[in-house]
Amino acid sequence: MDTIYDDMALEQIAKQQFGLNVDIDNVIVRQIPVSRTAVATVYLTKKKQLFAHITAQSNLTLADVKKLVARMGLKPELYVPPKGRPNYFDDIGREHVRAVFPGKTNITDTDLIYYRTLAPYNPALVQINEIPDGEIRQYDADAHGGWRAAAKFAYRRIKTS
């Protein structure tokens, strides 16, 4: 019964914090550890889109989330920006560039590559493109390499026009 409430809470978070209407069809893994302080839930929507929702007690940046998603064995499609701020990562990146280089007037996308990764991103919602090796991994301090399989799940998003 709790899982229904968890699913509803995830749908609410997606709507309120990221402006996405998602209908959860199936939760693949729920609240698995992905670092010492972060947990992730990976779910499939009724539209067959796969999302990873990551939260942590500590601060997370876009760079941290990218690293966690890669270590989980997932290939991201889109890091969903906070609701109402479609250019959130670029805006934060620009602020960082201005702070580091106060005289720089023409800030290019190349300048932003690193600085956008410094944007605070907790909770994070990531749309997943594919699971290349068909395995979602979770953090495990005792496992060799620090990660072990949490679930087997084959997924590849097929582009439609």
Side-chain angles (χ1 to χ4, degrees), residues 20-155:
L20 278 184
N21 283 323
V22 294
D23 274 337
I24 296 177
D25 184 38
N26 182 14
V27 174
I28 290 73
V29 290
R30 190 181 301 276
Q31 298 285 313
I32 59 168
V34 291
S35 78
R36 292 191 188 280
T37 62
V39 293
T41 300
V42 179
Y43 59 86
L44 197 61
T45 67
K46 288 187 167 60
K47 291 180 181 171
K48 302 299 175 214
Q49 294 172 308
L50 192 66
F51 285 98
H53 178 261
I54 301 172
T55 55
Q57 281 112 30
S58 57
N59 294 335
L60 284 178
T61 62
L62 179 60
D64 298 330
V65 172
K66 284 183 173 189
K67 202 179 296 176
L68 292 175
V69 167
R71 289 187 178 154
M72 286 172 70
L74 308 173
K75 232 186 204 155
E77 164 119 358
L78 171 72
Y79 295 93
V80 183
K83 180 179 182 180
R85 297 188 66 187
N87 302 322
Y88 172 74
F89 301 115
D90 289 345
D91 294 345
I92 301 287
R94 271 193 192 82
E95 287 172 25
H96 281 286
V97 171
R98 282 195 198 101
V100 176
F101 307 106
K104 191 167 177 81
T105 52
N106 185 20
I107 299 170
T108 64
D109 282 348
T110 314
D111 299 328
L112 292 176
I113 290 171
Y114 166 72
Y115 290 99
R116 75 167 51 106
T117 65
L118 302 176
Y121 197 35
N122 184 14
L125 187 64
V126 185
Q127 187 171 355
I128 304 303
N129 187 22
E130 72 171 303
I131 305 174
D133 51 4
E135 189 176 86
I136 300 172
R137 291 188 288 278
Q138 73 180 47
Y139 176 76
D140 183 353
D142 298 331
H144 179 69
W147 290 81
R148 67 177 171 83
K152 292 218 172 291
F153 188 73
Y155 179 84

